[in-house]
Amino acid sequence: MDYQSTTPVDPRVVGAMLPYFTEQFGNPHSVEHSFGIQAQQAIEVALAGIADVIGVSAGDIVITSGATEANNLALRGSLPTGKKAHLISALTEHQSVLGTLAALKEDGHAITLVTVDGDGLIDPEAVEAAIRPTTRIVSVMAVNSEIGVIQPYADLGQLCRSRDVLFHVDAAQGFGRVPLDVKRNCIDLMSISAHKIYGPKGVGALYVGPAARSRMRAQITGGGQQGGLRAGTMPTPLIIGFGEAARLMKEEETTEVARLAELRTRLWTQLVEQIGGVHLNGSADQRWVGNLNLRFEDVDADSLMLMVPSLALSTGSACTAGTPEPSKVLRALGLSPEQASQSVRIGLGRMTTTDQIDRAVALITDAVGRLRG
Ligand SMILES: *Cc1c(COP(=O)(O)O)cnc(C)c1O
């Protein structure tokens, strides 16, 4: 029940990866011999699979170690050299963006974090009002990792394009799940993570479009691989797995959305029927179907999770876990610290079954009843 934190690697993805650990181990940059050429050609196919999901070509994909590195490359790599710039993002962004922006602020760059409404959505007018002559980039998540809401990235893209500001989308949660055609949505940069789409951990990508490419500088320098944007030998097995995972996301997107919508509705209606005082955090309709962020009145979420150790529930982002503070995202929606501490995130995915949903309902209902009692 925690698919926003990570996903299992699909067995079909594992199968696609295996030969590239052993027989086909060539260095994809050693194109003087057939071992290298085989690896390079396999990577080309994988990159095309990733690019296809967002309507771009393989040459626009820069492989990274994950979405955290992709976010760093997008934000740091697009800054003008030797000048201070202004960057815009939102209070509800992922820690890999917020932490990077905080570091850039220490370096003297100016940062604006816009607020969100009670549904967790960004108002494009607030972003427009924040744009200055020095604004270099606007960075926004497609699908929020805690509350699952889908931000108005199409409107934001058009706005940024009209103001000659780069538009970066952190699509770790959105890739293959919501329509993210890069050209239609005027997206210049997009971060992707393989382990959120049933691929391996340790690999991701940054899409770099034409407007961004001329302004980008590598953050990992060395041998000039990947068009000079990210040096280092490309991890062939991980990329093959990433490509296969992306291909499967696209192939199965429509049926998977319908299946998850059914499971989500089953979970939600049973919980509401069996437990009073359950509230949904974040927009009800602008939402990825695989996420429910729920608040149980008079129930401390940490106590709830302790009572259901067999369920993988979460109070928020794994990347800030360990911090006992209530979620910053929920606070930005206007929830009090107490309300935020009563909230849990539930994530459904490819391997979630009806039986698991029913067991989760039974366990949560029982635990909430005991805690309230
Ligand atoms: C998981 C996640 C990241 C970080 O991705 P890694 O590949 O784990 O570095 C960044 N942004 C969002 C929205 C995420 O969900």
Side-chain angles (χ1 to χ4, degrees):
M1 303 271 127
D2 196 15
Y3 275 79
Q4 270 89 53
S5 142
T6 193
T7 61
V9 183
D10 191 297
R12 294 168 290 182
V13 170
V14 177
M17 289 170 71
L18 285 178
Y20 294 91
F21 286 105
T22 50
E23 303 100 71
Q24 294 183 267
F25 62 87
N27 184 323
H29 310 288
S30 300
V31 289
E32 303 89 355
H33 54 64
S34 65
F35 296 95
I37 291 170
Q38 275 179 7
Q40 189 215 26
Q41 286 174 344
I43 283 182
E44 281 304 316
V45 173
L47 293 180
I50 298 162
D52 186 43
V53 176
I54 53 173
V56 301
S57 53
D60 297 331
I61 302 293
V62 176
I63 291 294
T64 64
S65 61
T68 299
E69 187 194 324
N71 286 341
N72 270 269
L73 178 56
L75 297 171
R76 296 174 189 273
S78 62
L79 293 179
T81 38
K83 272 191 270 176
K84 300 301 174 210
H86 176 231
L87 302 89
I88 301 174
S89 190
L91 279 172
T92 51
E93 290 302 303
H94 191 264
Q95 198 54 35
S96 56
V97 165
L98 294 178
T100 303
L101 293 176
L104 289 171
K105 190 173 180 185
E106 288 192 352
D107 289 344
H109 298 285
I111 311 295
T112 302
L113 297 178
V114 299
T115 53
V116 295
D117 66 14
D119 276 344
L121 298 172
I122 294 168
D123 178 0
E125 282 180 17
V127 173
E128 182 160 30
I131 293 178
R132 309 174 188 172
T134 51
T135 306
R136 185 68 157 190
I137 190 167
V138 170
S139 175
V140 164
M141 266 194 249
V143 173
N144 187 282
S145 48
E146 280 189 51
I147 54 175
V149 302
I150 303 169
Q151 296 295 356
Y153 48 81
D155 295 342
L156 291 166
Q158 271 179 11
L159 165 68
C160 291
R161 187 62 49 92
S162 73
R163 302 292 294 268
D164 195 28
V165 171
L166 292 174
F167 183 43
H168 168 242
V169 172
D170 176 354
Q173 301 286 343
F175 181 86
R177 297 195 164 97
V178 297
L180 273 172
D181 184 290
V182 154
K183 296 194 181 100
R184 189 172 313 143
N185 295 298
C186 302
I187 295 167
D188 297 307
L189 295 153
M190 186 192 292
S191 301
I192 312 165
S193 176
H195 78 92
K196 305 288 173 69
I197 59 164
Y198 313 96
K201 292 172 180 61
V203 68
L206 183 68
Y207 157 76
V208 181
R213 186 161 286 261
S214 57
R215 307 184 202 183
M216 290 298 285
R217 274 205 315 159
Q219 298 303 295
I220 295 179
T221 47
Q225 290 92 346
Q226 304 205 59
L229 282 182
R230 204 271 196 176
T233 304
M234 296 173 85
T236 314
L238 297 181
I239 298 169
I240 303 305
F242 186 8
E244 179 65 3
R247 194 185 67 74
L248 291 169
M249 287 300 282
K250 178 164 179 179
E251 194 173 279
E252 299 179 355
E253 183 185 342
T254 318
T255 45
E256 181 66 353
V257 168
R259 196 184 75 89
L260 288 178
E262 231 169 79
L263 290 179
R264 193 263 317 257
T265 304
R266 187 183 181 97
L267 179 64
W268 169 246
T269 46
Q270 289 190 75
L271 285 177
V272 171
E273 275 166 18
Q274 297 181 26
I275 314 173
V278 188
H279 305 273
L280 177 67
N281 294 320
S283 169
D285 52 340
Q286 293 298 106
R287 161 185 294 279
W288 159 242
V289 291
N291 171 285
L292 282 177
N293 193 305
L294 302 177
R295 178 167 72 83
F296 298 95
E297 279 172 26
D298 302 322
V299 171
D300 176 59
D302 289 321
S303 310
L304 173 62
M305 291 193 301
L306 281 175
M307 287 187 79
V308 289
S310 63
L311 273 187
L313 301 175
S314 136
T315 50
S317 137
C319 313
T320 44
T323 11
E325 288 163 33
S327 154
K328 274 192 269 182
V329 172
L330 295 177
R331 297 281 287 126
L333 265 63
L335 269 67
S336 69
E338 193 195 14
Q339 288 173 325
S341 71
Q342 297 171 340
S343 300
V344 294
R345 175 179 74 176
I346 303 179
L348 312 180
R350 189 176 288 168
M351 288 74 178
T352 310
T353 62
T354 309
D355 179 53
Q356 287 177 340
I357 295 289
D358 294 347
R359 272 161 52 208
V361 169
L363 287 167
I364 294 171
T365 305
D366 175 64
V368 168
R370 282 194 285 158
L371 286 167
R372 282 186 182 154

